[in-house]
Amino acid sequence: MTDFDVGARLAEVRKQAGLTQRALASRAGVPHSQIAMIERNNSSPSVASLRKILSGIPIRLNQFFEVAQDRAGQVVYRKDELTDLTSPLLRRGNKASPIILRQVGDAVMHNLQILHECYAPGADTGASMLEHDAHEGGIVVSGELELTVDGQVYILAPGDSYLFDSRLQHRFRNRGDCDCEVISACSPPYL
């Protein structure tokens, strides 16, 4: 999915929603120039920025990146069939993404989002705390994950897990010097 054209896809979903760039910017609470620059591929938005823009359409991040396929009866998903929710946004030149989120199947159809997450050393979900109406949990497969939930900081090692109400402010960060791999689930889907 490295050749995914974020700008063209944003223009496509915006037009399908019957919105001008200015109307979308107004609905999403972002500058018009930000939408225009993304659509021309002059700017690569962060996950948080794209999510905010897509809320003005509205469309979820996973729907934005999902290739139209009929997978209603699909039970098994091979690793190359996971939907890459972040790499097309964060890849710059040959640099790898600091956070990679790959989704299993159609999260909306199943009302459950299962993610394979990989955090590079120093990767962080951002200074702003996350907060959304859902519940989420996960298991650290490798590396070390710093999880902050409702002001409490936890350090998780391989085999450690978490489960919490996502309405509490939270954040994920890799403070270690090697990649951190996590398998997580969220219901209802967040991204």
Side-chain angles (χ1 to χ4, degrees):
M1 205 159 143
T2 58
D3 59 349
F4 189 90
D5 189 334
V6 173
R9 177 68 173 145
L10 180 58
E12 175 188 6
V13 297
R14 175 184 57 75
K15 290 172 186 173
Q16 286 174 348
L19 298 171
T20 64
Q21 288 179 346
R22 288 192 189 284
L24 176 56
S26 176
R27 288 175 81 173
V30 299
H32 164 257
S33 60
Q34 184 177 10
I35 306 267
M37 289 181 66
I38 292 168
E39 288 188 2
R40 288 191 312 261
N41 288 311
N42 291 338
S43 173
S44 182
S46 67
V47 173
S49 294
L50 183 59
R51 195 167 179 282
K52 184 175 183 178
I53 290 166
L54 295 177
S55 72
I57 291 178
I59 182 175
R60 289 190 169 171
L61 200 61
N62 64 326
Q63 294 169 307
F64 182 80
F65 287 113
E66 211 162 68
V67 178
Q69 295 180 27
D70 181 12
R71 294 184 171 182
Q74 188 168 350
V75 174
V76 173
Y77 295 84
R78 304 296 177 194
K79 65 181 177 180
D80 62 339
E81 294 178 311
L82 301 183
T83 303
D84 190 342
L85 301 180
T86 50
S87 292
L89 291 176
L90 302 173
R91 202 176 311 278
R92 288 181 177 39
N94 292 329
K95 292 183 181 177
S97 303
I99 299 174
I100 297 173
L101 304 175
R102 298 174 65 228
Q103 177 181 285
V104 177
D106 184 338
V108 175
M109 181 174 76
H110 294 284
N111 197 33
L112 175 64
Q113 185 167 48
I114 301 173
L115 297 175
H116 176 239
E117 306 178 34
C118 187
Y119 297 81
D124 191 323
T125 55
S128 298
M129 300 295 272
L130 302 172
E131 193 175 354
H132 49 97
D133 191 20
H135 287 85
E136 61 188 277
I139 299 172
V140 176
V141 176
S142 64
E144 181 179 273
L145 182 70
E146 178 188 272
L147 170 65
T148 304
V149 178
D150 200 26
Q152 193 76 11
V153 178
Y154 306 90
I155 305 298
L156 288 82
D160 291 342
S161 56
Y162 59 89
L163 182 64
F164 62 91
D165 184 331
S166 306
R167 292 175 293 189
L168 298 173
Q169 292 189 340
H170 57 283
R171 170 184 178 192
F172 299 92
R173 183 165 69 143
N174 179 356
R175 291 183 14 180
D177 56 5
C178 63
D179 286 351
C180 177
E181 184 179 5
V182 177
I183 303 298
S184 69
C186 184
S187 181
Y190 168 60
L191 297 174

CSV table of all heavy atoms in Angstrom, one decimal, residues 157-181:
chain,number,residue,atom,x,y,z
A,157,ALA,N,5.7,-4.8,29.6
A,157,ALA,CA,6.7,-5.6,28.9
A,157,ALA,C,6.0,-6.8,28.1
A,157,ALA,O,4.8,-6.9,28.3
A,157,ALA,CB,7.6,-6.2,30.0
A,158,PRO,N,6.8,-7.5,27.3
A,158,PRO,CA,6.1,-8.6,26.6
A,158,PRO,C,5.3,-9.5,27.5
A,158,PRO,O,5.7,-9.9,28.6
A,158,PRO,CB,7.3,-9.4,26.0
A,158,PRO,CG,8.4,-8.3,25.8
A,158,PRO,CD,8.2,-7.4,27.0
A,159,GLY,N,4.1,-9.8,27.0
A,159,GLY,CA,3.2,-10.6,27.8
A,159,GLY,C,2.2,-9.8,28.7
A,159,GLY,O,1.2,-10.3,29.1
A,160,ASP,N,2.6,-8.6,29.0
A,160,ASP,CA,1.7,-7.7,29.8
A,160,ASP,C,0.5,-7.3,28.9
A,160,ASP,O,0.7,-7.2,27.7
A,160,ASP,CB,2.4,-6.5,30.3
A,160,ASP,CG,3.5,-6.9,31.4
A,160,ASP,OD1,3.4,-8.0,32.0
A,160,ASP,OD2,4.3,-6.0,31.7
A,161,SER,N,-0.6,-7.0,29.5
A,161,SER,CA,-1.8,-6.6,28.7
A,161,SER,C,-2.5,-5.4,29.4
A,161,SER,O,-2.2,-5.1,30.6
A,161,SER,CB,-2.7,-7.8,28.5
A,161,SER,OG,-3.0,-8.3,29.8
A,162,TYR,N,-3.4,-4.8,28.7
A,162,TYR,CA,-4.2,-3.7,29.3
A,162,TYR,C,-5.6,-3.8,28.8
A,162,TYR,O,-5.9,-4.5,27.8
A,162,TYR,CB,-3.6,-2.4,28.8
A,162,TYR,CG,-3.5,-2.2,27.3
A,162,TYR,CD1,-4.6,-1.6,26.6
A,162,TYR,CD2,-2.4,-2.5,26.6
A,162,TYR,CE1,-4.5,-1.4,25.2
A,162,TYR,CE2,-2.3,-2.4,25.3
A,162,TYR,CZ,-3.4,-1.8,24.6
A,162,TYR,OH,-3.3,-1.6,23.2
A,163,LEU,N,-6.5,-3.2,29.5
A,163,LEU,CA,-8.0,-3.2,29.2
A,163,LEU,C,-8.6,-2.0,30.0
A,163,LEU,O,-8.4,-1.9,31.2
A,163,LEU,CB,-8.6,-4.5,29.6
A,163,LEU,CG,-10.1,-4.7,29.3
A,163,LEU,CD1,-10.4,-4.7,27.8
A,163,LEU,CD2,-10.6,-6.0,30.0
A,164,PHE,N,-9.2,-1.1,29.2
A,164,PHE,CA,-9.7,0.1,29.9
A,164,PHE,C,-10.8,0.8,29.1
A,164,PHE,O,-11.0,0.5,27.9
A,164,PHE,CB,-8.6,1.1,30.2
A,164,PHE,CG,-7.9,1.7,29.0
A,164,PHE,CD1,-8.3,2.8,28.4
A,164,PHE,CD2,-6.8,1.0,28.5
A,164,PHE,CE1,-7.7,3.3,27.2
A,164,PHE,CE2,-6.1,1.5,27.3
A,164,PHE,CZ,-6.6,2.7,26.7
A,165,ASP,N,-11.5,1.7,29.8
A,165,ASP,CA,-12.6,2.5,29.2
A,165,ASP,C,-11.9,3.6,28.4
A,165,ASP,O,-11.3,4.4,29.0
A,165,ASP,CB,-13.5,3.0,30.3
A,165,ASP,CG,-14.7,3.8,29.8
A,165,ASP,OD1,-14.6,4.4,28.7
A,165,ASP,OD2,-15.7,3.8,30.5
A,166,SER,N,-12.1,3.6,27.1
A,166,SER,CA,-11.4,4.6,26.3
A,166,SER,C,-11.9,6.0,26.4
A,166,SER,O,-11.3,7.0,25.9
A,166,SER,CB,-11.5,4.2,24.8
A,166,SER,OG,-11.1,2.9,24.6
A,167,ARG,N,-13.0,6.2,27.2
A,167,ARG,CA,-13.4,7.6,27.5
A,167,ARG,C,-12.5,8.3,28.5
A,167,ARG,O,-12.5,9.5,28.6
A,167,ARG,CB,-14.8,7.6,28.1
A,167,ARG,CG,-15.9,7.1,27.0
A,167,ARG,CD,-17.2,7.0,27.6
A,167,ARG,NE,-17.2,5.9,28.5
A,167,ARG,CZ,-18.3,5.3,29.1
A,167,ARG,NH1,-19.5,5.8,28.8
A,167,ARG,NH2,-18.2,4.3,29.9
A,168,LEU,N,-11.6,7.5,29.1
A,168,LEU,CA,-10.6,8.0,30.0
A,168,LEU,C,-9.4,8.5,29.1
A,168,LEU,O,-9.1,7.8,28.1
A,168,LEU,CB,-10.0,7.0,31.0
A,168,LEU,CG,-11.0,6.4,32.0
A,168,LEU,CD1,-10.4,5.2,32.7
A,168,LEU,CD2,-11.5,7.5,32.9
A,169,GLN,N,-8.8,9.6,29.4
A,169,GLN,CA,-7.7,10.1,28.6
A,169,GLN,C,-6.6,9.1,28.6
A,169,GLN,O,-6.2,8.6,29.7
A,169,GLN,CB,-7.3,11.5,29.1
A,169,GLN,CG,-8.3,12.6,28.9
A,169,GLN,CD,-7.8,14.0,29.2
A,169,GLN,OE1,-6.8,14.1,29.9
A,169,GLN,NE2,-8.4,15.0,28.7
A,170,HIS,N,-6.0,8.9,27.4
A,170,HIS,CA,-4.9,7.9,27.4
A,170,HIS,C,-4.0,8.2,26.2
A,170,HIS,O,-4.2,9.0,25.4
A,170,HIS,CB,-5.5,6.5,27.2
A,170,HIS,CG,-6.4,6.3,26.0
A,170,HIS,ND1,-7.7,6.8,25.9
A,170,HIS,CD2,-6.2,5.7,24.8
A,170,HIS,CE1,-8.2,6.5,24.8
A,170,HIS,NE2,-7.3,5.9,24.0
A,171,ARG,N,-2.8,7.5,26.3
A,171,ARG,CA,-1.7,7.8,25.4
A,171,ARG,C,-0.8,6.5,25.4
A,171,ARG,O,-0.7,5.9,26.4
A,171,ARG,CB,-1.0,9.0,25.9
A,171,ARG,CG,0.3,9.3,25.2
A,171,ARG,CD,1.0,10.5,25.9
A,171,ARG,NE,2.2,10.8,25.3
A,171,ARG,CZ,3.1,11.6,25.8
A,171,ARG,NH1,2.9,12.2,26.9
A,171,ARG,NH2,4.3,11.8,25.2
A,172,PHE,N,-0.2,6.3,24.2
A,172,PHE,CA,0.7,5.1,24.1
A,172,PHE,C,2.1,5.7,23.6
A,172,PHE,O,2.1,6.6,22.8
A,172,PHE,CB,0.2,4.1,23.0
A,172,PHE,CG,-1.1,3.5,23.4
A,172,PHE,CD1,-2.3,4.1,22.9
A,172,PHE,CD2,-1.2,2.4,24.1
A,172,PHE,CE1,-3.5,3.5,23.2
A,172,PHE,CE2,-2.4,1.8,24.4
A,172,PHE,CZ,-3.6,2.4,24.0
A,173,ARG,N,3.2,5.1,24.2
A,173,ARG,CA,4.5,5.6,23.8
A,173,ARG,C,5.5,4.5,24.0
A,173,ARG,O,5.5,3.7,24.9
A,173,ARG,CB,4.9,6.8,24.7
A,173,ARG,CG,6.2,7.4,24.4
A,173,ARG,CD,6.4,8.7,25.0
A,173,ARG,NE,6.5,8.6,26.4
A,173,ARG,CZ,7.3,9.4,27.1
A,173,ARG,NH1,8.1,10.3,26.6
A,173,ARG,NH2,7.4,9.3,28.4
A,174,ASN,N,6.5,4.4,23.0
A,174,ASN,CA,7.6,3.4,23.1
A,174,ASN,C,8.8,4.2,23.6
A,174,ASN,O,9.4,5.0,22.9
A,174,ASN,CB,7.9,2.8,21.7
A,174,ASN,CG,9.0,1.8,21.8
A,174,ASN,OD1,9.7,1.6,22.8
A,174,ASN,ND2,9.3,1.2,20.7
A,175,ARG,N,9.1,3.9,24.9
A,175,ARG,CA,10.3,4.6,25.5
A,175,ARG,C,11.5,3.8,25.3
A,175,ARG,O,12.6,4.2,25.7
A,175,ARG,CB,10.1,4.8,27.0
A,175,ARG,CG,9.0,5.9,27.3
A,175,ARG,CD,8.8,6.1,28.7
A,175,ARG,NE,9.9,5.6,29.6
A,175,ARG,CZ,9.9,5.7,30.9
A,175,ARG,NH1,8.9,6.4,31.5
A,175,ARG,NH2,10.8,5.2,31.6
A,176,GLY,N,11.4,2.6,24.8
A,176,GLY,CA,12.5,1.7,24.6
A,176,GLY,C,13.4,2.0,23.4
A,176,GLY,O,13.2,2.9,22.7
A,177,ASP,N,14.4,1.2,23.2
A,177,ASP,CA,15.4,1.4,22.1
A,177,ASP,C,15.2,0.3,21.0
A,177,ASP,O,16.0,0.2,20.1
A,177,ASP,CB,16.8,1.4,22.6
A,177,ASP,CG,17.2,0.1,23.4
A,177,ASP,OD1,16.4,-0.8,23.5
A,177,ASP,OD2,18.3,0.1,23.9
A,178,CYS,N,14.1,-0.4,21.1
A,178,CYS,CA,13.7,-1.4,20.0
A,178,CYS,C,12.2,-1.3,19.7
A,178,CYS,O,11.5,-0.7,20.5
A,178,CYS,CB,14.1,-2.8,20.3
A,178,CYS,SG,13.2,-3.5,21.7
A,179,ASP,N,11.8,-1.8,18.6
A,179,ASP,CA,10.4,-1.7,18.2
A,179,ASP,C,9.5,-2.4,19.3
A,179,ASP,O,9.9,-3.3,20.0
A,179,ASP,CB,10.1,-2.4,16.9
A,179,ASP,CG,10.6,-1.6,15.7
A,179,ASP,OD1,11.0,-0.4,15.9
A,179,ASP,OD2,10.6,-2.2,14.6
A,180,CYS,N,8.3,-1.8,19.5
A,180,CYS,CA,7.3,-2.4,20.4
A,180,CYS,C,6.2,-2.9,19.5
A,180,CYS,O,5.6,-2.1,18.8
A,180,CYS,CB,6.9,-1.4,21.4
A,180,CYS,SG,5.6,-2.0,22.5
A,181,GLU,N,5.8,-4.1,19.7
A,181,GLU,CA,4.7,-4.7,18.9
A,181,GLU,C,3.6,-5.0,19.9
A,181,GLU,O,3.8,-5.6,20.9
A,181,GLU,CB,5.2,-6.0,18.2
A,181,GLU,CG,4.2,-6.6,17.3
A,181,GLU,CD,4.8,-7.9,16.7
A,181,GLU,OE1,5.9,-8.3,17.0
A,181,GLU,OE2,4.1,-8.5,15.8
